[in-house]
Amino acid sequence: MAATTITEPIVQVTGLRRVYGSGDAAVRALDGVSFEVSPGELVAVVGRSGSGKTTLLNLVGGLDALQEGTITVAGRDVGGLDEAGLDALRRDVVGFVFQSFGLVPTLSASENVGIPLRLRGVPVEEREERVALLLELVGLSGHAAQRPGEMSGGQQQRVAIARALASSPRLLIADEPTGQLDSETGLAVMALLRGIVEAEGMTILVATHDPTLVALADRVLHLQDGQLTQHVAS
C-alpha cells in the first residue's frame, strides 16, 4: 500500500472569541471562529469594516492577547507563549504587511528590507545578498538606495512586502495591503502576493475588501459580526 502524505495545517484556529468592553457596551469582535489554513495557501478574509478581520489577523500573528479559544501557528500554541515566545514567533515564523507600509523614513529601501536580518544577526554579506534578491523579487532592484519619501505608494508597499519576506517566514499576514493604493497599483501588488505563494512556497492570510485579490485567493473566509459565515473555494 502506498504511503499517504499528511500535511499538517500551518494555522489552526478553534473557538476563537474576542470581546472589547463589558456590559451593554461590550463589542464581540470575534464569536466562535474556527478554521484551518494549509501550507502554500493564499486565504482571503473578507467582511465589512468592524467584522473582526483585523482582530483575527492580530490574534493569529500574536499581536493581540488571546481571550478564549486556541490558535496554533506552525505547531506553536500562540496562547501559551510568553513574551519571548511571541517575539520568536513574530521574528522567525510570521511576517506582517500592513496598509500603512510602516517603513522607516530615514532608511533606504535596502536598509528597510534588511532590518529583520540585522535583528537576527545575519552576517553582512549574506544579508546584502538576501536583500538584493528580495528587491529583485518585488521589482525594485533599481530603487535600492531610495528612501520611502522618494517612492510611490505602490513602491513603498513592495518594499514592505520584501521586508516581511526577509526572514523567510512560513506565514505572511497582510492586513488590507492594497488599501492605500490605486486600482492599477493594487492589482500589481496583489499579483505579486500570488506570485510569492508560488515562488517561495509561502502561506498568506490576507484581510481585504478588494474583489481582485479575493479572486486570486485559493479560499475565502467571510466574517460577519464576528462570526465566520462561509468558506468559499475560489
Side-chain angles (χ1 to χ4, degrees):
M1 183 179 294
T4 301
T5 301
I6 299 175
T7 303
E8 292 292 331
I10 191 169
V11 176
Q12 292 177 292
V13 174
T14 305
L16 196 61
R17 289 182 170 81
R18 190 69 160 85
V19 178
Y20 294 100
S22 59
D24 294 339
V27 176
R28 200 172 286 274
L30 296 171
D31 189 10
V33 169
S34 300
F35 65 93
E36 296 182 349
V37 179
S38 298
E41 276 195 300
L42 194 166
V43 176
V45 182
V46 302
R48 295 181 178 180
S49 296
S51 62
K53 300 188 303 298
T54 295
T55 297
L56 174 60
L57 266 57
N58 286 347
L59 287 167
V60 171
L63 296 177
D64 282 352
L66 190 62
Q67 284 183 340
E68 185 178 340
T70 61
I71 301 173
T72 303
V73 176
R76 305 186 189 199
D77 177 7
V78 176
L81 296 176
D82 58 14
E83 282 304 314
L86 289 171
D87 286 344
L89 178 78
R90 295 187 290 257
R91 183 187 65 235
D92 302 329
V93 180
V94 181
F96 297 92
V97 178
F98 305 103
Q99 63 172 302
S100 58
F101 313 144
L103 302 177
V104 180
T106 56
L107 299 182
S108 67
S110 61
E111 289 168 335
N112 267 285
V113 174
I115 288 174
L117 301 176
R118 285 179 177 273
L119 294 175
R120 297 181 70 181
V122 175
V124 174
E125 185 176 351
E126 182 182 345
R127 184 173 71 235
E128 290 178 348
E129 288 179 359
R130 177 67 175 163
V131 168
L133 176 65
L134 289 168
L135 287 175
E136 182 179 357
L137 177 66
V138 300
L140 291 178
S141 294
H143 300 269
Q146 288 185 300
R147 292 184 173 86
E150 301 169 324
M151 308 176 80
S152 68
Q155 289 171 330
Q156 291 182 61
Q157 188 61 293
R158 286 171 176 264
V159 173
I161 291 171
R163 182 185 58 188
L165 298 176
S167 298
S168 299
R170 294 184 61 188
L171 173 66
L172 183 65
I173 292 178
D175 190 5
E176 298 287 357
T178 61
Q180 293 193 36
L181 307 177
D182 60 72
S183 58
E184 183 177 352
T185 305
L187 179 59
V189 168
M190 290 182 287
L192 173 62
L193 291 175
R194 179 74 258 178
I196 287 168
V197 170
E198 297 170 359
E200 299 258 316
M202 195 171 298
T203 305
I204 299 181
L205 185 62
V206 55
T208 184
H209 286 97
D210 196 315
T212 309
L213 181 49
V214 171
L216 291 174
D218 297 307
R219 201 152 45 90
V220 182
L221 307 180
H222 288 255
L223 274 173
Q224 182 175 342
D225 298 327
Q227 295 185 326
L228 193 61
T229 60
Q230 298 180 62
H231 291 254
V232 179
S234 90

